[in-house]
Amino acid sequence: MHFQHSDSIWRDFPELAAGALHVEGIRSDVSVADAVDRFEAIASDVLAANSEGELAEIQAWRRTFTRMGLKPTQYRCASEALLRRFRKEGDLPSIHPLIDLCNAVSLAFAIPIAVFDLSRIAGDLEVTRASGDEIYATFSGETEHPETDEVIFCDAHGRAHARRWTNRQSGHSAIRPQTTSALIVVEALHETATADVAELIAALEEAIGAIWHVRPTSALLSRSAPRFAFAAHGQVARTENL
């Protein structure tokens, strides 16, 4: 199985920096409270100095959404939406330990993180432009079709697992209590994105290892090495040059 961005995504967004992490052995009966508190404290310090809209990480996504023909104040990237809610409410709701951890890390780095239940993905997963025929399941159980050329996460069966890049994740592959295998995707477009994504992946690997006592596999992706190939049951993951 592998995850990648299509050639057209790398061509249209050469500033993209991405990373992916595969983890087996996830359980929902663990506590992530200490890690969440630590990352949320970092986010609080960041927001004390600047609003989320002033952050370079968020401004880069707003420019990208504008280039895609989306109003950046109507369709916010996942990290901006989280930061906005956190600033207003001072906390985020608990959903699942893995999601709670990833949301807190996303707050701290102001970088979107998408998390997928691998048992709900058919074949390979690619970030690509939609044809418009793909199927997307909302969290309320409704079915939608992405607009033509919309950036989606698409699997081998033509199912869209996220719409409008990382903004709207599918209810079909959302993490749930019975999830044991997950794919985590990190993407950024600001000037220091390459270094920041690498730091984020390292922080997430360390936290997951400490909490679930497992060894995730990960890769930093680029136009020259765009593919993260991975297998279940502890097989070695790798990046592939295409």
Side-chain angles (χ1 to χ4, degrees):
M1 188 173 186
H2 71 256
F3 167 79
Q4 69 176 27
H5 294 76
S6 68
D7 290 340
S8 65
I9 296 297
W10 288 111
R11 180 196 66 224
D12 295 343
F13 304 97
E15 68 273 34
L16 173 66
L21 188 152
H22 168 229
V23 57
E24 297 278 345
I26 291 298
R27 308 187 322 275
S28 60
D29 61 343
V30 300
S31 174
V32 295
D34 290 345
V36 166
D37 288 347
R38 184 170 72 253
F39 288 114
E40 285 188 350
I42 296 172
S44 294
D45 289 342
V46 170
L47 290 173
N50 299 282
S51 70
E52 66 276 3
E54 297 174 304
L55 301 176
E57 297 88 344
I58 302 304
Q59 290 177 349
W61 276 105
R62 286 187 176 186
R63 291 192 297 269
T64 297
F65 275 47
T66 299
R67 287 166 59 190
M68 293 191 296
L70 302 173
K71 293 181 180 179
T73 54
Q74 181 179 2
Y75 297 105
R76 304 178 191 275
C77 74
S79 54
E80 180 176 3
L82 288 173
L83 284 162
R84 182 180 172 86
R85 183 169 185 173
F86 183 70
R87 174 174 55 80
K88 290 183 174 182
E89 300 179 10
D91 201 0
L92 294 178
S94 179
I95 299 171
H96 179 283
L98 183 60
I99 297 300
D100 296 349
L101 173 64
C102 288
N103 282 349
V105 173
S106 182
L107 286 176
F109 284 84
I111 292 175
I113 300 175
V115 190
F116 305 95
D117 183 333
L118 280 174
S119 71
R120 307 285 287 176
I121 293 175
D124 301 326
L125 187 66
E126 182 177 55
V127 182
T128 188
R129 299 280 188 174
S131 67
D133 297 326
E134 297 86 358
I135 297 172
Y136 172 86
T138 69
F139 277 88
S140 62
E142 298 176 351
T143 298
E144 300 176 351
H145 295 284
E147 297 176 7
T148 302
D149 288 334
E150 183 181 320
V151 177
I152 62 171
F153 285 59
C154 188
D155 72 13
H157 287 181
R159 182 179 290 275
H161 293 275
R163 290 193 60 186
R164 301 186 181 97
W165 219 323
T166 61
N167 188 60
R168 293 185 60 195
Q169 194 164 337
S170 166
H172 181 78
S173 54
I175 300 298
R176 58 204 74 211
Q178 59 268 37
T179 298
T180 60
S181 178
L183 174 68
I184 302 170
V185 178
V186 179
E187 297 161 305
L189 298 119
H190 57 287
E191 186 176 355
T192 60
T194 299
D196 293 341
V197 166
E199 184 180 353
L200 188 160
I201 289 289
L204 202 49
E205 272 194 298
E206 181 179 2
I208 289 173
I211 293 166
W212 280 275
H213 306 292
V214 296
R215 295 186 63 184
T217 54
S218 66
L220 300 176
L221 307 177
S222 65
R223 192 170 189 177
S224 61
R227 180 176 293 178
F228 175 45
F230 55 92
H233 310 303
Q235 295 181 23
V236 177
R238 65 190 187 278
T239 53
E240 295 181 358
N241 296 311
L242 299 182

